[in-house]
Amino acid sequence: TGLFTYDPGFTSTASCESKITYIDGDEGVLLHRGYPIDQLAERGDFLETCYLLLYGELPTAHELTDFVYHVTRHTMVHEQMSRFYTGFRRDAHPMAVMVGSVGALSAFYHDSTDISDPHQRMVASIRMIAKTPTLAAMAYKYHIGQPFVYPRNDLSYAENFLHMCFAVPCEPYVINPVLAKAMDRIFILHADHEQNASTSTVRLAGSSGANPFACIAAGIACLWGPAHGGANEAALNMLTEIGTKDRIPEFIARAKDKNDPFRLMGFGHRVYKNYDPRAKIMQQTCHEVLDELGLKDDPLLEVAMELEHIALNDPYFIEKKLYPNVDFYSGITLKALGFPTTMFTVLFAVARTVGWIAQWKEMIEDPHQRIGRPRQLYTGAPQRDYVGVAERG
Ligand code: CMC
């Protein structure tokens, strides 16, 4: 056009400067503030990663204690929120409930809405990291008809989340450390991924100065789609549909057929064209969880491994550089942890909240920040004169 570039899907447009996350898609590299994702996932924990994403450095022991104290102080949600939940149908998708309930935080925490105040921005950030697990667990409990379970601040972030989801008032809930570690790792692996669709949505919504809780709700809405966060749910549904190894070739053929919209869910990535470093760690975590639960012979795992093997050796997938992404193995792991498929994307949203909020904060604090306003190529009718309804043929 001469004035601007036409770039559908923003494949070659940088919308911002960022110091948070670096991806080299050709080399399969993912760094948060310079630290490789595998080191964070294997040696760190989720709240430490949250601190790193928000503040730019790993915390000292004292800073971490202080941060954990502040996050745990905010884990409860306003009691009135529970009434909000009962307005939903019980068979509502928990992501629909999350869009509503996280958006509704903007109606409860008015003091966090002064985004010009750095202290209030940090309070809003901590509130969101602290409260999304609570809201997610409430969405699950409401869905299955069990009473809400209050957060327990003596537990780690991942342990508390499992507790809020799976504890019931009538018997003690014993937390399995292997499963809690896996949950924590899933949270770390999903914590941030630079300018993906949902993060760009949060930045775009936030660029107008909108309420931060409402911006995160916009991110959750975007994440829900099967091409993005909804892929973990879609991947498990696909593996269930395939069912047995002998049916894999049929689905591979469908994925390759140009006239069939079917895609292998959990395969392919806009940026990773070598492998997704998160998928490797996820696969290992998946094996650890299935071992721990004695589910090594899970037929879904067998189908997943065989499918991965066949696809990685198929010229179509090789040529198009399609590799398993993080969602391929996260579904089987989450199912083994006890979550229904409808909760998978909700868990992704819980983990990604810190990425969204760190990116939102970075944007607000960027002196070059302007309202996001993409241009378009207009291909509609040229100017024409209005015709009264009686004269329209
Ligand atoms: N199965 C079969 N063919 C595929 C797949 C797949 N999963 N993914 C891409 N292709 C083909 C596609 O048909 C196209 O072929 P052609 O060039 O002949 O038209 C080519 O590969 C490039 O695909 P694209 O859709 O132009 O690539 P994209 O960068 O726009 O899309 C993607 C990336 C992740 C949306 C896509 O690979 C996909 O739909 N994957 C399945 C869904 C999925 O697993 N999403 C999770 C992404 S990772 C987690 C997250 O970000 O939330």
Side-chain angles (χ1 to χ4, degrees):
T1 66
L3 286 175
F4 47 84
T5 318
Y6 175 50
D7 182 15
F10 308 112
T11 55
S12 58
T13 301
S15 59
C16 62
E17 263 184 43
S18 181
K19 293 185 168 53
I20 302 175
T21 292
Y22 172 79
I23 300 176
D24 181 336
D26 295 327
E27 297 299 323
V29 169
L30 169 60
L31 310 176
H32 291 320
R33 304 283 191 181
Y35 294 101
I37 187 67
D38 51 318
Q39 293 183 22
L40 292 170
E42 273 153 28
R43 300 178 54 197
D45 74 19
F46 181 66
L47 280 183
E48 198 181 48
T49 306
C50 290
Y51 186 99
L52 175 70
L53 290 169
L54 279 174
Y55 294 97
E57 294 296 336
L58 283 170
T60 61
H62 173 74
E63 285 165 343
L64 185 59
T65 308
D66 194 52
F67 183 65
V68 171
Y69 168 76
H70 280 100
V71 171
T72 47
R73 261 196 64 204
H74 287 286
T75 48
M76 287 210 297
V77 292
H78 195 293
E79 197 60 21
Q80 203 72 9
M81 283 291 289
S82 55
R83 310 248 181 105
F84 190 83
Y85 271 73
T86 54
F88 286 108
R89 286 169 54 140
R90 284 205 193 261
D91 62 355
H93 195 291
M95 277 301 272
V97 176
M98 285 301 279
V99 173
S101 60
V102 173
L105 290 176
S106 52
F108 285 89
Y109 301 101
H110 300 146
D111 50 342
S112 284
T113 58
D114 179 7
I115 60 168
S116 64
D117 177 348
H119 173 69
Q120 286 308 334
R121 285 201 294 273
M122 199 39 96
V123 173
S125 307
I126 286 181
R127 278 186 168 142
M128 258 172 289
I129 295 165
K131 291 182 198 305
T132 44
T134 313
L135 294 177
M138 287 170 76
Y140 176 56
K141 287 297 197 188
Y142 183 69
H143 191 49
I144 59 172
Q146 288 185 1
F148 298 137
V149 174
Y150 285 111
R152 264 185 54 190
N153 289 348
D154 57 322
L155 300 176
S156 76
Y157 194 85
E159 287 171 343
N160 174 49
F161 183 62
L162 293 175
H163 166 76
M164 289 190 295
C165 287
F166 298 123
V168 284
C170 42
E171 58 189 56
Y173 174 65
V174 181
I175 294 161
N176 177 324
V178 175
L179 306 190
K181 180 81 202 147
M183 191 74 253
D184 193 70
R185 207 167 262 177
I186 291 172
F187 285 153
I188 295 174
L189 292 180
H190 289 86
D192 191 50
H193 214 226
E194 50 117 310
Q195 308 313 317
N196 56 83
S198 58
T199 303
S200 300
T201 301
V202 170
R203 278 189 178 253
L204 197 55
S207 75
S208 71
N211 177 285
F213 299 105
C215 295
I216 300 299
I220 295 175
C222 178
L223 185 75
W224 192 0
H228 191 7
N232 52 14
E233 178 176 345
L236 194 87
N237 289 340
M238 177 191 75
L239 294 173
T240 311
E241 198 192 338
I242 298 175
T244 48
K245 288 201 275 185
D246 57 307
R247 296 193 61 208
I248 293 174
E250 178 195 324
F251 283 81
I252 294 269
R254 285 188 59 196
K256 288 158 49 173
D257 181 354
K258 275 260 150 263
N259 300 317
D260 188 332
F262 174 77
R263 286 183 167 201
L264 280 193
M265 285 294 145
F267 264 77
H269 199 274
R270 171 62 64 78
V271 184
Y272 295 121
K273 300 297 176 195
N274 179 334
Y275 71 91
D276 179 342
R278 304 168 301 170
K280 277 203 170 161
I281 310 165
M282 201 58 247
Q283 187 191 35
Q284 180 197 327
T285 304
C286 179
H287 283 286
E288 283 166 19
V289 167
L290 296 182
D291 266 351
E292 173 68 16
L293 297 173
L295 297 172
K296 236 355 199 173
D297 300 327
D298 187 327
L300 283 184
L301 184 66
E302 272 190 9
V303 172
M305 285 177 31
E306 182 70 9
L307 181 67
E308 180 180 10
H309 177 72
I310 295 180
L312 289 180
N313 290 293
D314 187 296
Y316 172 93
F317 292 90
I318 295 171
E319 190 211 314
K320 293 194 187 303
K321 298 186 177 0
L322 299 169
Y323 297 86
N325 57 50
V326 66
D327 292 325
F328 190 65
Y329 279 101
S330 68
I332 307 172
T333 316
L334 292 173
K335 178 173 178 272
L337 289 176
F339 291 103
T341 44
T342 49
M343 279 298 287
F344 291 3
T345 315
V346 172
L347 303 189
F348 192 157
V350 169
R352 186 54 59 85
T353 295
V354 64
W356 289 328
I357 202 73
Q359 301 266 355
W360 169 83
K361 223 169 101 341
E362 183 179 62
M363 179 201 60
I364 299 287
E365 291 165 9
D366 181 349
H368 302 116
Q369 191 267 326
R370 302 169 73 185
I371 187 167
R373 204 324 184 166
R375 305 303 302 268
Q376 64 165 10
L377 273 188
Y378 178 71
T379 55
Q383 181 171 341
R384 45 189 168 161
D385 289 326
Y386 180 84
V387 180
V389 68
E391 295 131 57
R392 285 175 219 157

